[in-house]
Amino acid sequence: MNTYIVRGKKIHVEIFGDRSLPAVLFLHGGPGESCYEFVYHQSNRFSDQFQ
């Protein structure tokens, strides 16, 4: 996981798959909603087609 600081806010980024593949950006839900379920299940499913 990479952490970037943008305008004083920390942004955590996880990258899956080969960097030569087309990129897909997933933004998790609103306040109190997690993206863990998506990352856990879908990252393996899509990592052979997308970054």
Side-chain angles (χ1 to χ4, degrees), residues 9-48:
K9 303 293 181 185
K10 290 182 183 178
I11 297 177
H12 302 281
V13 177
E14 291 184 74
I15 299 174
F16 301 91
D18 189 319
R19 290 181 181 237
S20 67
L21 296 171
V24 171
L25 174 64
F26 176 76
L27 300 174
H28 69 83
E33 297 295 323
S34 173
C35 65
Y36 177 77
E37 292 288 325
F38 177 85
V39 171
Y40 180 77
H41 295 289
Q42 303 302 332
S43 63
N44 289 330
R45 180 177 178 193
F46 292 128
S47 64
D48 61 340

